[in-house]
Amino acid sequence: MVPYRISKVLFGGDYNPEQWPREVWHEDMRLFKLAHVDTVTLNVFSWARIQPSEDTYDFADLDEIMNLVRENGLNVCLATSTAAHSAWMAHRHPDVLRVGQDGMKRSFGARHNSCPNSPTYRHYAPLLAKKLAERYGDMGNIVAWHVSNEYGGLCYCENCAAAFRVWLRKRYGTIDAVNRAWNTSFWGHTFYDWEEIVPADFRSEEWSMGGRVRTNFQGISLDYRRFMSDSLLECFCLERDAIRAVTPDIPVTTNMMGLYYELDYGKWAKEMDFIAWDSYPSYGEPANFNILRHDVMRGVGGGKAFWLMEQTPSVSNWHQYCALKRPGVMRRLSYEAMARGADTVMFFQMRRSIGACEKYHGALIDHAGRSDTRVFREMAALGEELDKLGDVTLGGTTDARVALIFDWDNWWATSLSAGPSADIDAVSELARWHAALLDMNVPVDVVGVDAPLDKYAAVVAPMLYMVKGDYDETLRGYVRRGGTLIATSFSGYVQENDLVMPGGYPGSLRDIFGVWVEEIDALPPDRVNGFVYNGVRYPARLLCDVVHTEGAKALAHFETDFYAGMPALTCNDLGEGHAYYVATCPDEALCAALLGDVLKAAGVAPIMDTPRGVIASVRENERGRIVYIINQTDGEQSVTLPFAGRDLLTGTAYAAGDAAALAGNGVMLIHID
Amino acid sequence: MVPYRISKVLFGGDYNPEQWPREVWHEDMRLFKLAHVDTVTLNVFSWARIQPSEDTYDFADLDEIMNLVRENGLNVCLATSTAAHSAWMAHRHPDVLRVGQDGMKRSFGARHNSCPNSPTYRHYAPLLAKKLAERYGDMGNIVAWHVSNEYGGLCYCENCAAAFRVWLRKRYGTIDAVNRAWNTSFWGHTFYDWEEIVPADFRSEEWSMGGRVRTNFQGISLDYRRFMSDSLLECFCLERDAIRAVTPDIPVTTNMMGLYYELDYGKWAKEMDFIAWDSYPSYGEPANFNILRHDVMRGVGGGKAFWLMEQTPSVSNWHQYCALKRPGVMRRLSYEAMARGADTVMFFQMRRSIGACEKYHGALIDHAGRSDTRVFREMAALGEELDKLGDVTLGGTTDARVALIFDWDNWWATSLSAGPSADIDAVSELARWHAALLDMNVPVDVVGVDAPLDKYAAVVAPMLYMVKGDYDETLRGYVRRGGTLIATSFSGYVQENDLVMPGGYPGSLRDIFGVWVEEIDALPPDRVNGFVYNGVRYPARLLCDVVHTEGAKALAHFETDFYAGMPALTCNDLGEGHAYYVATCPDEALCAALLGDVLKAAGVAPIMDTPRGVIASVRENERGRIVYIINQTDGEQSVTLPFAGRDLLTGTAYAAGDAAALAGNGVMLIHID
Amino acid sequence: MVPYRISKVLFGGDYNPEQWPREVWHEDMRLFKLAHVDTVTLNVFSWARIQPSEDTYDFADLDEIMNLVRENGLNVCLATSTAAHSAWMAHRHPDVLRVGQDGMKRSFGARHNSCPNSPTYRHYAPLLAKKLAERYGDMGNIVAWHVSNEYGGLCYCENCAAAFRVWLRKRYGTIDAVNRAWNTSFWGHTFYDWEEIVPADFRSEEWSMGGRVRTNFQGISLDYRRFMSDSLLECFCLERDAIRAVTPDIPVTTNMMGLYYELDYGKWAKEMDFIAWDSYPSYGEPANFNILRHDVMRGVGGGKAFWLMEQTPSVSNWHQYCALKRPGVMRRLSYEAMARGADTVMFFQMRRSIGACEKYHGALIDHAGRSDTRVFREMAALGEELDKLGDVTLGGTTDARVALIFDWDNWWATSLSAGPSADIDAVSELARWHAALLDMNVPVDVVGVDAPLDKYAAVVAPMLYMVKGDYDETLRGYVRRGGTLIATSFSGYVQENDLVMPGGYPGSLRDIFGVWVEEIDALPPDRVNGFVYNGVRYPARLLCDVVHTEGAKALAHFETDFYAGMPALTCNDLGEGHAYYVATCPDEALCAALLGDVLKAAGVAPIMDTPRGVIASVRENERGRIVYIINQTDGEQSVTLPFAGRDLLTGTAYAAGDAAALAGNGVMLIHID
């Protein structure tokens, strides 16, 4: 891991001068200064320009750009341009073209268009990265390498099929082991030769239903997803290694996309020098959902600070309805990122292009080219504010006492499951627990199944359907040593190949929770069961388990249907700890109630109390502890500070017990005395 | 027709020991005994295991399994395993792979994956069937051969195109005859050479709209469906004949799927020794709809008893929301099957697999592997009950006085029609008449257009759009000789090639009903016309005919629109009989009212009166007459028995006029004194 | 332009005797006479019959038909049959087969099935046209040539790819110019060789979302649409030229389809001798929408009279619900067509075919073959009425003082735009202004961006997003010279390649309207802003601009959101004229209010006042001025005539100020004294 070296919150973002004549470049430099921009991400999509043919490279423009921005004192996040191959490459080397799930070979177009197992791509992409490192590595102002861009998209071509077989051979060793892993005795799928194996796609095992991929063989589809995530990761590593060989001291990253289904970011993070991600909350989604993405991104990076690589200054262009970010919202979202771990506030994009699909995506510099637009003024004000903040927030981490478990394999497995309900969504199950913690102002880590747990007072593993390897041992040990573990319906069913662990659900977790789940009932959206916990009634939706306690005590019981009176919520004492089982998909209120009780018992206090819609987060570095108080609502809100400190943005000092008012979308960064 | 020989209602189902280690097999034998299982369906998906290569067969496992189940006194329904070809076959002989409607060649995967005109498949499938017959035909405990599994799915490959041309040549003789049959002078489609003909698919004449296939040429699409149904049927016959040559005394069947669109089961039934089918009612569908499927299945088999080959003990895995069958429902549905003609109660599956898409489908033995689950206990109780019943119900038939006409060609033709309404659904039209009869407890046969009609007091032919051959003569003769015939809107339009019979609708049926339908008006779902019949108002939906009587008398008249005052319901006297024409798509209430009047006039009495939700059915064999009274509701219901008899399940004797209570989902089998 | 020569409103339509035996032909002649049919469109889909092979032509049937109809005094609109190639051609020359957007090669089937760049098609189609012209050109009764039929549908094959490159080379000259036009520096799309360019389809830049095509590169997709429209137009021209060389005095046309997205009818119209179109209003669409189509069709033809080539006598067959045209509706729609410019009233079809997808499409002669059907009687009555009218209405034009601008390029560009809203629909924006004018009984021209404007008192250019060439100069000059121009949100963004004109929206129109649009906010359907104009509140939906006036005065201001108080409606005085900018997508009420004020100021009076649902139109020829008053409602309506005249249909004379009653769907043709 090569650390990044910065002395303030970086402010700037994607800049594409290659789309503009030179006179505009100089105007841009002037405008950047006005806006307090200090960092630009360059060269994201210039492969075709830099390499006009197999044997020719032309760096003249990029040289000029690099010199210009250095002369203007700007840091550079230098991209490798490999997120879109060139038209000549597609024409001369069709192996770079992807094949879709339906078997259709793509022609030239779009971006993220290369087959990750294309020999051509794997030859030319790292070669370009190496050339860029050699040419610009010594410029002195490169703060990070930005490999490719928003990796994603899958391929189903013959090259991928062949690489899949190699991947399988490496993972399983023998074809017999593959047959066992995939349970191929079902439906007569026994393979005798590696060559008989084909990609999992719409030509073989999969189909689309209601926009969701379904499969006949979960094991095959799961492994193909793993293989594809690994294939793309290999492409990243090839470029990273080519760069590292030249500039070992400059960190290398790529920009992730939060809760992105196709890539196992938990695995990717281990290969990146630091985490960077692009934050594009959708219009109308709950305000907490983007916080969840921040926490997931911080979590895959092991809790370290990350970069906000992209957000839009105002409007996105691909939404159904591209609503403007209202005044103050861009600033508020920027501080939200910082509150959850960001060390940079960067944007797509510095200047709006005039043609193609992103020309109506927000930018610092609009088509009008003026510095007096609302968006420019808001950004310049934020830039100035961040200038003043200096390095005080940098590198801060959050010491959470609660963990949420989130695992890409489990996400894939639950989404691919044939039954019990097509509405199963592991992220929704995660999000409700997260929302409850956010509303309580309790810091939380979202971690994978490789994270140590002993530091946490409570661990919630919502819908942990797949228990890989000996993760049951991890959980069992955690509880035995005094931890509190919470699980929910549809947990503990399968091992890592999506094979059921026979003997009764929740499989290897059964003794931990002291329950046996005999049956699982799927409820259509218009049917709700319910239960009473601590005097309050909560709904039970989507899934309801028919549970028998085996040592656990029942804390609540289903109200209706043939399993009325059977446990809806149980607690098992194991060693020094406790294991709660929620036998349904709980609503946020139940999550909050149960977490409230658990955390109270464990002595975990919230950062502070806030009105609904105001969230408090905390980060700490060697320079101290900062509480970020953010008003996600449009109206003014008042908070009472339980600690003394100074607002870094206004300089106002507060004593413990003081009240403070936050305007709509207002922010305070209280540096604790 | 080789009859099956059984001495009790078979109880058991699909069993896949090849997915399990041997120690589990012995545990299964123990559990089967506990559950009163007497029959297992084996070898449904083992082709890849049994035939590891072109020249090698390995029956070792199957030998062991067959011996084990025989030693344990179990009957075997022995499947031929050809419903899924092997991966090696797909790899080495790509002609077995299907091509989709969109022209996409499939790769290896799924099941029901073979091109029915693949030379490879047609070689190896019957060969395997023959080898199985030779090897196991003498075991003594094979009660039936189970060829392939749930035949279905279509192919559009070059081999199918070639076979289609052969099929057409056989059907039409000359290319000119094809041109006439398809009316190819429309849109310049004249064919001059057989080779110019291509499959009807999304590359040629068809497209999908709202999930429904539309076509430019009904005649072509219709013939391609016929050809495909025939192609798959040929595959069945090839295996059947290979088996029959070895074991002429063991009956051969395959498992049908009720109202399955793609196969003309009326034609298939003629090639099967007996009917078997898989019953999977959907969550939330009306309770009567599955009874309709039973009646259709009994009907294609000429009224003989059939096998319930599969149902789920509790849950299916492929529904949107996989709700559990509530306590008592599995038993109730089992007796419903028997009430409508089943001689077996068999299930998919005996033991849940641990991997792939059916691992969350219900089973006798759950992943827990226990005999004390709710599902196991319910099944064991039913097994015990059926043991006690012995042979008393076997082979019983139902002497119905009412027939409903249902014909696959007509279903296809109406579904493919361009106009008058995209909501036309021949099955819905059938289902309302059937529901009315079911509510009245009047036994009904659902028969094809080859069935003799004279035994029926009334015949309803809902939406008989296509009148094939001289079926008008059949209907005319039936009425003339005293029958009562009821038809509805969109009847009598076309002959067997979907060519309109000119001269005025309903074509060749016009004199029978004594009406001329001048126009047909399609109503959007939010528009309803209406009419009054016998003092009660009924709605007219979907289609309304503009009708002129030509000898018939009008019994009701439309209320509104420009055809207000014109006939909505007519009756024509023809010879000794009567022909009713309903000039719209009637609701169930009109069906009930009209049938009530017609049956009263014909002296057809219901089996008995029951409260709504309780249905009475009757079967009779040489051992007597049994009335099945089934409470489809969750609440207790009371019935008054109009006959004396003894409940076979409880032994209770009843005198005529006695009241009896049925618990929710309760069942009585009254053996009439 | 070769003018057509007719002496009455032609009455008749598509006739396909080739589908019938000869005895039917003679019956048809008898029935045509009864119905007053004077014109038949022949030979629309007979290519396969006429040309049975590459070297053989067989005109025997057509000779006989042509002679028959001439003997019976019928005019012929003679089609060239090239809208569907033959099966043998598809089989022997696969280059005639189209390739779909998804890359799937079609097989034989359907119609409009030929690749427009197929060498085979381009050879044989004009050759057939030439042969037809040579053979029948002298018959004397051919009133027009009808080339192909309803041109449409696109192709994405290799031949089209190659032709696209030729088209681009012709348009742009160099590959560098292409790169600039498409802004290929975005996403690294630089092309170095023409061969690298591929069609814009689902394999390259496009995908489908919610039934709408989306693209990554608007410039590429736009040019591919232009190229495809041009390719099909070339096919038309090839046939037209082949015909003209033989029969220079017979006009050549093809039947258009109103607001048909795929073809730039504005460009097509310039190649046609006169406009003909097929009018099929959808069930449930507002009555004014079909009038809009008439006006668009008259507009592309430069305001000249056009032919109504097809409408259905009663029912269409392809709608979801094929409702009958109620009594009087067919007649009313026929006069609506005449009121807006039609010189013919022609139908699809004369006789219903018995097979394939149009057998349930309405016809003069139904399957019953009778002359006493409702439809036959209504048509015969109309035929008789038109006979009596004679030539009095022919050639009449409408002198409109208001123009609406509609441009296909703009339609394509707005529909392809990525942002600001997926609900953008240029036709809806047009339709509301048109509806307002129609309700006011103010004649309107719908014209393209090549039309001179000075004759108009007011010009409305709704959502004129794309400003091609120097069209800003046209608009500026028009206003300066005293015109009134109205524009709406999302105008003036891009030049002809969909490249944004930098400097601030609305680009080159900015000085005309005296406003700068800083931002554009997209509103989801459930959000509405509003503003008050002249004391009345109007809603603002879909898009709201953040507008700064630069010389204009604000007439209304937004009510809510952060741009509350900013202008929602402005007026700029420029030279002698005025330019209004509506900073949102207005509803019809605002259109009416603003137009009312503008027209009042300009002294433009409506034709007359009518109750809602009654529309007045006017046409004038050398024989006088006729006001068409049409009751689009089912109920009786009363109008007061502001002029003296005589109803051409009844002969009744009216003095100015007289009241007249119109029955439901009733029509008056007042010949002004």
Side-chain angles (χ1 to χ4, degrees), chain B residues 102-104 183 185-192 195-196 198 203-205 215-218 417-423 465 493-494 498-500 502-505 510 516 518-525 527 550 561-563, chain C residues 18-20 45-46 48-49 51-52 84-88 91-92 104-111 283 314 317 319-327 352-360 366-368 370 372-375 377:
Chain B
D102 55 1
M104 183 56 69
N183 197 41
S185 55
F186 180 78
W187 283 5
H189 267 46
T190 309
F191 296 100
Y192 291 99
E195 293 303 309
E196 293 162 17
V198 296
R203 294 168 297 181
S204 58
E205 302 294 0
T215 181
N216 291 308
F217 272 80
Q218 281 70 29
S417 179
S421 169
D423 287 357
Y465 167 71
Y493 274 60
V494 297
D498 202 67
L499 298 181
V500 170
Y505 321 123
R510 195 165 146 196
W516 167 44
E518 182 185 342
E519 297 184 270
I520 188 163
D521 192 30
L523 275 55
R527 281 192 47 218
E550 298 182 325
D561 219 319
F562 77 90
Y563 40 90
Chain C
E18 67 277 8
Q19 295 181 21
W20 296 90
F45 286 107
S46 304
R49 290 276 282 264
Q51 187 182 3
H85 59 238
S86 60
W88 68 256
H91 182 61
R92 287 185 231 164
M104 184 55 69
K105 177 93 171 171
R106 302 295 182 239
S107 62
F108 175 72
R111 59 176 191 169
Y283 178 85
S314 57
N317 66 282
H319 290 144
Q320 188 81 355
Y321 310 107
C322 303
L324 299 170
K325 283 186 182 169
R326 269 50 194 160
R352 272 189 171 180
S353 49
I354 60 163
C357 66
E358 292 184 342
K359 63 180 176 291
Y360 301 129
D366 209 326
H367 290 135
R370 297 160 67 141
D372 61 351
T373 63
R374 175 182 73 94
V375 170
R377 286 180 285 116

Side-chain angles (χ1 to χ4, degrees), chain A residues 102 183 185-189 192 203-205 216 218 420 422-423 465 498 500 503 505 518-519 521 527 561, chain B residues 19 45 48-49 88 104 107-111 320-322 324 326 352 354-357 359-360 367 373-374:
Chain A
D102 55 359
N183 197 41
S185 54
F186 180 78
W187 283 5
H189 267 47
Y192 292 99
R203 295 169 296 182
S204 57
E205 302 294 0
N216 292 308
Q218 282 70 28
D423 288 357
Y465 166 73
D498 203 66
V500 171
Y505 320 123
E518 182 186 341
E519 297 183 271
D521 192 30
R527 279 192 48 217
D561 221 318
Chain B
Q19 295 182 20
F45 285 107
R49 290 277 281 267
W88 68 256
M104 183 56 69
S107 63
F108 175 70
R111 59 176 190 169
Q320 187 82 355
Y321 309 108
C322 303
L324 299 169
R326 268 50 194 162
R352 270 187 173 183
I354 60 163
C357 66
K359 63 180 177 293
Y360 301 128
H367 290 136
T373 62
R374 176 181 74 94

Side-chain angles (χ1 to χ4, degrees), chain A residues 102-104 182-183 185-193 195-196 198-199 201-205 209 215-219 417-423 465 490 493-494 498-505 510 516 518-527 542 544 546 550 561-563, chain B residues 18-20 45-53 84-89 91-92 102 104-111 113 283 314-327 348-349 352-361 366-370 372-375 377:
Chain A
D102 55 359
M104 183 55 69
W182 291 351
N183 197 41
S185 54
F186 180 78
W187 283 5
H189 267 47
T190 309
F191 296 100
Y192 292 99
D193 188 293
E195 293 303 310
E196 293 162 19
V198 295
D201 60 28
F202 294 168
R203 295 169 296 182
S204 57
E205 302 294 0
M209 196 174 70
T215 181
N216 292 308
F217 272 80
Q218 282 70 28
S417 179
S421 169
D423 288 357
Y465 166 73
F490 209 43
Y493 275 60
V494 297
D498 203 66
L499 298 181
V500 171
M501 298 178 277
Y505 320 123
R510 195 165 146 197
W516 167 45
E518 182 186 341
E519 297 183 271
I520 189 162
D521 192 30
L523 275 56
D526 57 346
R527 279 192 48 217
L542 197 62
C544 291
V546 179
E550 298 181 326
D561 221 318
F562 77 91
Y563 40 90
Chain B
E18 67 278 7
Q19 295 182 20
W20 296 91
F45 285 107
S46 304
W47 198 352
R49 290 277 281 267
I50 289 178
Q51 187 182 2
S53 75
H85 59 239
S86 59
W88 68 256
M89 199 177 286
H91 182 60
R92 288 186 230 161
D102 55 1
M104 183 56 69
K105 177 92 171 171
R106 301 297 183 239
S107 63
F108 175 70
R111 59 176 190 169
N113 47 11
Y283 178 85
S314 57
V315 73
S316 295
N317 66 283
W318 68 83
H319 291 142
Q320 187 82 355
Y321 309 108
C322 303
L324 299 169
K325 283 186 181 169
R326 268 50 194 162
F348 182 85
Q349 52 191 342
R352 270 187 173 183
S353 49
I354 60 163
C357 66
E358 292 184 343
K359 63 180 177 293
Y360 301 128
H361 189 101
D366 209 326
H367 290 136
R370 297 161 68 141
D372 62 351
T373 62
R374 176 181 74 94
V375 170
R377 286 181 284 115

Side-chain angles (χ1 to χ4, degrees), chain A residues 565-635:
Chain A
M566 296 186 75
L569 172 59
T570 64
C571 180
N572 195 42
D573 299 333
L574 181 71
E576 305 297 309
H578 310 283
Y580 290 84
Y581 186 80
V582 186
T584 185
C585 297
D587 71 346
E588 191 188 322
L590 186 277
C591 299
L594 183 55
L595 282 167
D597 294 344
V598 161
L599 295 178
K600 192 173 176 188
V604 178
I607 301 166
M608 62 185 285
D609 287 331
T610 56
R612 192 157 187 96
V614 177
I615 59 168
S617 310
V618 65
R619 288 178 73 189
E620 189 161 11
N621 60 14
E622 61 276 15
R623 284 172 299 290
R625 181 174 167 90
I626 300 170
V627 174
Y628 296 71
I629 309 172
I630 299 177
N631 180 4
Q632 295 184 318
T633 73
D634 289 334

Side-chain angles (χ1 to χ4, degrees), chain C residues 15 17 20-35 68 72 74 350-351 364-372 376:
Chain C
Y15 178 47
W20 296 90
R22 269 158 187 69
E23 59 268 26
V24 173
W25 302 2
H26 294 281
E27 171 67 1
D28 290 340
M29 294 305 114
R30 186 184 74 85
L31 292 167
F32 289 173
K33 280 196 181 65
L34 284 178
L68 180 73
N72 282 275
L74 294 166
M350 293 296 96
R351 183 182 269 276
L364 169 67
I365 307 168
D366 209 326
H367 290 135
R370 297 160 67 141
S371 60
D372 61 351
F376 193 99

Side-chain angles (χ1 to χ4, degrees), chain C residues 70 310 315 348 434 525:
Chain C
R70 185 169 63 175
E310 293 183 17
V315 75
F348 182 85
H434 184 267

Side-chain angles (χ1 to χ4, degrees), chain B residues 338-356:
Chain B
M338 290 170 60
R340 309 308 283 198
D343 272 1
T344 70
V345 173
M346 290 167 68
F347 295 84
F348 182 85
Q349 52 191 342
M350 293 295 97
R351 184 182 268 277
R352 270 187 173 183
S353 49
I354 60 163

